[in-house]
Amino acid sequence: MLALEFPPIENLVEWPAYFGDGEFFAFNKIALISVLAVVIPTVLFLLAKKEMVPRGLQNICESAIEFVENQVIMSAIGPEGLKYLPMLLSMFLFVFFGNIFEVIPTFQMPANARMANPLVLALITWATFIYVGFKHHGIGYLKEVMVPPGVPKALLPVVIPIEFLSTFLLRPFGLAVRLFANLLAGHILLVTFGVLCIAVWRLDAMAILVPFSFATLVALTGFEVMVSFIQAFVFALLTAVYINSSIHTH
Amino acid sequence: MSFIVLAAEASAETKNPVLPVVSEMFWGAVTFTALYLLVKFVLLPPFKRTMSDRAATIAADKDAAELARQQVASADSDVVDQLAGTRAEAAAIIEQAREEAEVERTRLVGRAEREVQAMRDLADTELSSARDKAMQGMKPQVSELAAGAASRVLNRQVSLSEAQPVIDRHLANQN
């Protein structure tokens, strides 16, 4: 009725390679955003002055550091988790800047709306919390994780596979899918309302609806900025929670 | 069943957009590793140093402020103690001065009273002497007047020698 032409999903998330097409190092828009997610925080942190009284850019950088320190590490692990600050800060910044390109004109695509980056980060988290577990408990880590205290021995054949699956397979899978699905859904939502604006604009009879659909698009864009931040926070926080669960298994 | 077969054929021809792409994973891993190394060795240390220095400066300033506050409180207490001591000392001096003044006043009043008494005694003596002298000086005239007055009253001549003893007795009684 509205003559909507919603683009196929492939057109929304798949991007042609700028170079190396077909190779393992094919460089497309997602790779460019990943590179920018490194370059932007690096430039910001390098440009910020390091003065006793913080101002401007230094305030923003220190706020990010303190946010990860206090809201992620101290709340999930405690003081002993402060040694993971570089990793958790990197994750927070990488996810946030990967997400925020959803609302930046000409890009309008979050790197994490593709499964690759969330999966890589989830695998890094997975490797990290397993490493931390073995480091703190040795080989007994496996028993600590898979044999919860107080479970009757008769139930162990059922509980052990469940715990193994939930800890070693579902955790990284859930971490990756949560980030990917949230960003993909947000991306599709913005595209939907963008297409809706164009469609009602073309139909003279429905042109009166343009302000409403455009206002919704603007509101959703603001919402996506919030989602970008929240998803970065959630990813870093869950990573910290998993590391903490490897340090304090019970 | 035919739907599943068709879907499988279709998926064989087009890539599933949900599945991860190796090249994107490669760049994701490379860029995240780069960011981690940059954050760990280049970007974070200066900030941590600055923040640590700031925390140390704030702690030192707070300690100095607390020390200064304690010193002020101590000095205040000293001033109060000194003031109390000074007040007690002043009160003791005032009391001592009052006692000394009382002693001096008693001494001076006693001396003044003695002097006044001596002057009064002297004046009395002088007065008594003057009166006696005056009486002695007036006695012949008074005797003559008294004898004359008696002669008139009695209608006879009263001699001075006759009247003299009565006059003397009368004058003696006046004293």
Side-chain angles (χ1 to χ4, degrees):
Chain A
M1 186 176 72
L2 288 174
L4 279 176
E5 273 189 41
F6 197 83
I9 189 75
E10 296 84 8
N11 290 13
L12 301 181
V13 294
E14 287 182 359
W15 304 94
Y18 300 134
F19 63 82
D21 194 12
E23 301 291 336
F24 73 94
F25 55 85
F27 194 86
N28 61 4
K29 192 174 190 174
I30 303 301
L32 176 62
I33 293 170
S34 297
V35 170
L36 290 173
V38 176
V39 172
I40 293 172
T42 302
V43 170
L44 291 179
F45 273 65
L46 288 177
L47 286 180
K49 293 175 182 173
K50 284 82 181 174
E51 291 178 344
M52 201 54 86
V53 180
R55 293 171 61 190
L57 199 53
Q58 187 185 354
N59 251 334
I60 295 170
C61 296
E62 287 192 9
S63 296
I65 294 167
E66 284 184 338
F67 177 76
V68 174
E69 266 184 352
N70 298 328
Q71 303 302 321
V72 175
I73 296 175
M74 295 303 286
S75 66
I77 308 175
E80 62 186 315
L82 287 172
K83 60 186 168 187
Y84 302 106
L85 176 63
M87 181 194 166
L88 292 168
L89 180 65
S90 305
M91 274 194 174
F92 176 77
L93 294 172
F94 191 71
V95 174
F96 176 73
F97 283 103
N99 291 346
I100 203 68
F101 278 91
E102 167 71 54
V103 297
I104 294 177
T106 72
F107 284 95
Q108 287 171 313
M109 171 70 199
N112 296 313
R114 299 284 285 156
M115 191 59 178
N117 278 4
L119 186 62
V120 166
L121 294 175
L123 288 174
I124 290 169
T125 299
W126 178 76
T128 303
F129 77 73
I130 289 176
Y131 167 74
V132 171
F134 279 112
K135 187 181 167 191
H136 279 80
H137 305 284
I139 196 70
Y141 170 64
L142 291 174
K143 181 174 173 288
E144 293 272 338
V145 168
M146 291 191 283
V147 185
V151 175
K153 284 184 179 175
L155 288 178
L156 287 180
V158 179
V159 169
I160 288 173
I162 291 172
E163 289 293 329
F164 179 82
L165 277 175
S166 87
T167 304
F168 296 111
L169 294 179
L170 294 182
R171 270 186 186 180
F173 181 75
L175 203 56
V177 169
R178 183 182 295 108
L179 179 61
F180 162 69
N182 270 292
L183 271 296
L184 181 62
H187 181 57
I188 291 172
L189 203 62
L190 289 187
V191 172
T192 303
F193 275 86
V195 170
L196 187 65
C197 280
I198 297 166
V200 294
W201 178 256
R202 283 181 180 171
L203 294 171
D204 291 342
M206 304 292 283
I208 193 168
L209 294 175
V210 168
F212 299 107
S213 56
F214 183 72
T216 309
L217 181 62
V218 172
L220 284 173
T221 303
F223 179 70
E224 282 306 308
V225 173
M226 190 178 74
V227 168
S228 298
F229 173 80
I230 289 172
Q231 287 305 319
F233 171 55
V234 167
F235 198 96
L237 184 65
L238 285 174
T239 301
V241 168
Y242 294 158
I243 290 172
N244 181 56
S245 71
S246 293
I247 298 171
H248 311 106
T249 46
H250 296 302
Chain B
M1 188 67 185
S2 59
F3 171 75
I4 296 171
V5 171
L6 285 173
E9 285 173 356
S11 67
E13 291 170 4
T14 60
K15 287 181 285 183
N16 186 342
V18 171
L19 294 177
V21 176
V22 173
S23 61
E24 290 174 4
M25 287 181 71
F26 167 75
W27 284 109
V30 168
T31 50
F32 177 75
T33 306
L35 181 62
Y36 170 72
L37 293 175
L38 279 167
V39 166
K40 186 172 175 64
F41 297 110
V42 180
L43 305 179
L44 191 56
F47 277 97
K48 290 301 292 177
R49 236 181 346 262
T50 306
M51 292 161 80
S52 173
D53 289 349
R54 184 187 304 132
T57 305
I58 290 170
D61 287 354
K62 278 175 75 177
D63 288 347
E66 178 61 22
L67 188 65
R69 195 191 64 75
Q70 287 174 355
Q71 285 174 344
V72 167
S74 172
D76 198 33
S77 173
D78 288 350
V79 167
V80 169
D81 289 349
Q82 284 179 358
L83 202 59
T86 306
R87 280 184 179 144
E89 193 179 348
I93 290 170
I94 289 168
E95 187 58 30
Q96 188 183 358
R98 187 177 290 132
E99 286 171 2
E100 287 176 358
E102 184 61 26
V103 169
E104 184 66 13
R105 190 187 69 80
T106 308
R107 191 181 65 77
L108 289 174
V109 167
R111 195 175 77 180
E113 283 176 348
R114 283 194 302 278
E115 286 177 0
V116 166
Q117 190 58 43
M119 289 168 71
R120 189 181 291 151
D121 292 347
L122 181 62
D124 285 348
T125 307
E126 286 176 352
L127 187 63
S128 178
S129 170
R131 191 174 59 195
D132 289 349
K133 200 180 285 181
M135 290 298 285
Q136 290 300 323
M138 285 170 57
K139 200 171 178 181
Q141 285 87 351
V142 170
S143 297
E144 280 179 16
L145 282 170
S151 299
R152 292 265 186 108
V153 169
L154 295 173
N155 282 326
R156 75 177 178 90
Q157 189 65 41
V158 177
S159 67
L160 191 57
S161 57
E162 189 182 6
Q164 194 63 50
V166 178
I167 293 167
D168 288 343
R169 196 165 54 246
H170 180 73
L171 286 174
N173 287 342
Q174 289 299 309
N175 290 331

